Amino acid sequence: RTERNDWPQFGLAASGATTRAIIGFGLQIYVPLYAVAVLATSEGIGNAAVATMLVTSAVGTLVGGRLADRIGFRTVVVWSLAIAIPLMIALPLVGVTGAFLVMGAIGLIEGANFYPLVVIAQNALPGYMGLAAGVTLGLAIGIGAGVAALLGVLADTAGLTAVLWAVVGVSVLSLALALPLRSDGK
């Protein structure tokens, strides 16, 4: 291939995909527990809040792909990650009804950046597009799930609210990783 591989750009995109996976799995694992232990509601309500996030994430994925084609991949990634931060901050501050609304908004916003990050990674490695997809879809998700499981140590020592604040921190890190991405996604 005549195109150059841009490993630093790929590293940023793959790291962004990994942090967004940590966020997603962290919320999927700990919001139901938070709903029961902190919000004093049922497991079913906690699981329904996560289901709300997953459904809206599917919609966000479709919308994010269309937006990325129109306004740019980096723009969608950066703006969705930036908008997600105040939503993540709101999550431990709202009650049960608010949690549903916030989780729905988080799903929509976080879903929007999923495939644009994959495309940015693939564009960065035109000679290794399969590797780029495998890392941003497979490895990033696996690492994200593993780190989210390790958040259980934080939950056991500092409580479930601390885990939600840790997810806020990961959200800020995710945005910081996305800011240096080039605007053309290539």
Side-chain angles (χ1 to χ4, degrees):
R1 295 192 180 231
T2 59
E3 299 176 82
R4 281 189 71 216
N5 294 306
D6 185 345
W7 292 96
Q9 177 84 346
F10 166 74
L12 289 169
S15 297
T18 302
T19 53
R20 75 162 308 288
I22 294 167
I23 294 163
F25 283 115
L27 294 174
Q28 288 177 55
I29 294 167
Y30 298 104
V31 165
L33 299 173
Y34 177 83
V36 171
V38 178
L39 299 179
T41 189
S42 70
E43 292 173 6
I45 296 294
N47 290 333
V50 170
T52 300
M53 180 187 78
L54 295 174
V55 168
T56 59
S57 180
V59 173
T61 300
L62 294 170
V63 171
R66 298 287 301 219
L67 279 174
D69 287 338
R70 289 178 176 250
I71 64 173
F73 293 93
R74 180 191 180 274
T75 301
V76 169
V77 169
V78 169
W79 278 101
S80 65
L81 292 171
I83 293 168
I85 292 170
L87 293 170
M88 302 286 180
I89 291 170
L91 188 58
L93 304 175
V94 298
V96 176
T97 303
F100 271 89
L101 296 172
V102 170
M103 288 290 282
I106 288 170
L108 185 66
I109 297 301
E110 284 290 311
N113 63 50
F114 186 62
Y115 281 106
L117 278 167
V118 174
V119 171
I120 290 170
Q122 288 180 311
N123 287 340
L125 296 185
Y128 300 96
M129 289 179 76
L131 173 69
V135 169
T136 54
L137 292 171
L139 185 60
I141 290 171
I143 292 170
V147 171
L150 290 175
L151 288 173
V153 175
L154 179 61
D156 290 341
T157 58
L160 293 163
T161 304
V163 171
L164 295 183
W165 288 113
V167 171
V168 171
V170 175
S171 298
V172 172
L173 175 61
S174 193
L175 175 61
L177 290 166
L179 287 173
L181 291 170
R182 285 195 303 284
S183 62
D184 62 0
K186 294 182 181 180

